[in-house]
Amino acid sequence: MELRVLRYFLAVVREESISNAAESLNITQPTLSRQLMELEAELGIKLLNRGRKNRNVTLTDEGRLFRRRAEEVVELADKMQAEFSVAEGPVSGDIYIGGGETEGMRLIAKAAAELRKKYPHIHYHIFSGNAEEVMERLDNGLLDFGVLIGEANLTKYSYLPLPVTDVWGVLMRKDSPLAANPVICREDLEGVPLILSRQSLSSNELSGWYGGGFHEANVAATYNLIFNAALMVSEGLGYAVTLDKLVNTAGNHDLCFIPLSPKREARLSVVWKKQRGFSKGTELFLQELRSLIQSP
């Protein structure tokens, strides 16, 4: 299976048309059709549903899974090429960092900004996702570093604890009945419509605080990124259990954040694959981050 053919396949997916993809790739339509059929024959599966005269194509179920893997392979190949193309000359290149939504990313941003003052040809690429998504991309070589929040299995990673913690609490409308509370206890949430992060549900980060998990709670919705969850809260869908400092609640904003009681904190770590070979840029970034953490 050639990398070139994977790029052909992704072009067809992007254009949703073999003829349009062939034009964008500057090859003939028969050539592209033959390459795709040979790819399907090699895999032993059908990737595309072809419309009349190949004008429109859609992905099969197997095609959707293959697209994801093809994108990862092409992205990794491009990343490797970029790393080796800058091996000589001034320090430059790309650093890929993934993490969840957390105020702790400010420390990552500060280290990145300080390093770029010294090496302006270094570029950063930020991926936002939950711990499972970040670790998958780390394992596949698509990220150099990941910022993990709370409990995570770090046995297969090297890691650097960050000197910051996030505080769990509840995001709600300022006119809600619970908004006058100084803290939120488990009893306050009984029967209340909750909006929960999928990561906290899958990792059981708050099960101990809630008393065995949220399976008996009134879960109105789940979320991956807090921005969209905050819109749901603002519209009155429910109360979002989240980390502090992710949503602006100052001034005339219609939302407020109240911490949990007993207090529940999430520790943060920067992780990377063990025995991973670093480029000069990623090595310097890690040095900059260590220096920033150790400075008074």
Side-chain angles (χ1 to χ4, degrees):
M1 186 183 307
E2 298 182 33
L3 184 63
R4 169 179 54 84
V5 178
L6 294 183
R7 295 187 190 277
Y8 286 175
F9 169 75
L10 292 176
V12 172
V13 174
R14 183 176 61 252
E15 298 290 340
E16 298 182 345
S17 163
I18 293 178
S19 59
N20 291 348
E23 184 177 351
S24 69
L25 293 167
N26 199 27
I27 60 176
T28 65
Q29 181 175 325
T31 297
L32 180 55
S33 295
R34 184 179 70 255
Q35 293 281 0
L36 293 174
M37 287 189 290
E38 290 176 356
L39 176 62
E40 289 177 319
E42 180 181 355
L43 295 170
I45 58 175
K46 184 178 180 181
L47 299 174
L48 300 169
N49 294 312
R50 293 164 174 80
R52 187 177 180 182
K53 296 183 179 180
N54 288 334
R55 289 181 179 177
N56 298 104
V57 297
T58 58
L59 288 168
T60 64
D61 290 340
E62 294 83 0
R64 280 189 285 272
L65 175 60
F66 185 76
R67 175 182 63 179
R68 180 180 175 188
R69 298 308 181 199
E71 288 172 340
E72 291 176 350
V73 171
V74 169
E75 185 176 348
L76 180 58
D78 290 341
K79 185 174 181 293
M80 290 175 60
Q81 183 178 12
E83 287 177 349
F84 285 101
S85 67
V86 297
E88 301 295 334
V91 176
S92 60
D94 300 275
I95 300 177
Y96 294 80
I97 304 171
E101 293 178 302
T102 166
E103 177 68 10
M105 286 296 290
R106 186 177 297 277
L107 196 60
I108 302 298
K110 187 173 183 180
E114 289 298 319
L115 185 61
R116 203 164 192 273
K117 291 177 184 177
K118 306 169 189 175
Y119 305 101
H121 298 294
I122 290 179
H123 305 282
Y124 298 91
H125 305 275
I126 308 302
F127 170 81
S128 295
N130 60 33
E132 181 180 352
E133 293 168 328
V134 169
M135 289 190 287
E136 181 180 359
R137 294 180 74 86
L138 277 169
D139 295 343
N140 291 336
L142 301 177
L143 293 176
D144 298 307
F145 300 101
V147 179
L148 300 184
I149 307 168
E151 301 174 4
N153 184 0
L154 303 179
T155 55
K156 59 182 178 180
Y157 303 108
S158 297
Y159 65 94
L160 179 65
L162 295 180
V164 292
T165 55
D166 285 334
V167 176
W168 283 99
V170 181
L171 186 70
M172 65 187 73
R173 290 173 58 99
K174 288 181 178 177
D175 59 1
S176 68
L178 297 178
N181 293 18
V183 294
I184 297 297
C185 302
R186 182 199 184 283
E187 293 76 17
D188 296 323
L189 300 182
E190 291 184 357
V192 170
L194 300 179
I195 303 172
L196 303 177
S197 76
R198 289 193 288 276
Q199 179 175 334
S200 65
L201 285 173
S202 62
S203 62
N204 294 319
E205 289 184 60
L206 296 173
S207 59
W209 178 87
Y210 197 77
F214 287 93
H215 60 279
E216 296 180 355
N218 179 13
V219 179
T222 64
Y223 69 89
N224 185 37
L225 299 176
I226 189 58
F227 177 82
N228 291 331
L231 296 179
M232 297 181 192
V233 175
S234 182
E235 291 301 320
L237 181 63
Y239 296 70
V241 181
T242 184
L243 298 172
D244 195 8
K245 300 177 183 177
L246 299 182
V247 176
N248 180 19
T249 58
N252 295 324
H253 204 288
D254 63 341
L255 303 180
C256 63
F257 176 90
I258 301 178
L260 300 180
S261 177
K263 188 175 184 180
R264 188 76 175 184
E265 295 181 325
R267 300 190 179 277
L268 306 174
S269 300
V270 174
V271 306
W272 59 96
K273 287 183 67 174
K274 289 182 178 179
Q275 288 85 45
R276 186 194 187 286
F278 276 152
S279 66
K280 186 62 176 178
T282 52
E283 183 179 338
L284 288 170
F285 173 80
L286 187 56
Q287 291 176 10
E288 188 71 39
L289 185 58
R290 290 185 189 275
S291 176
L292 188 61
I293 291 173
Q294 295 166 2
S295 63

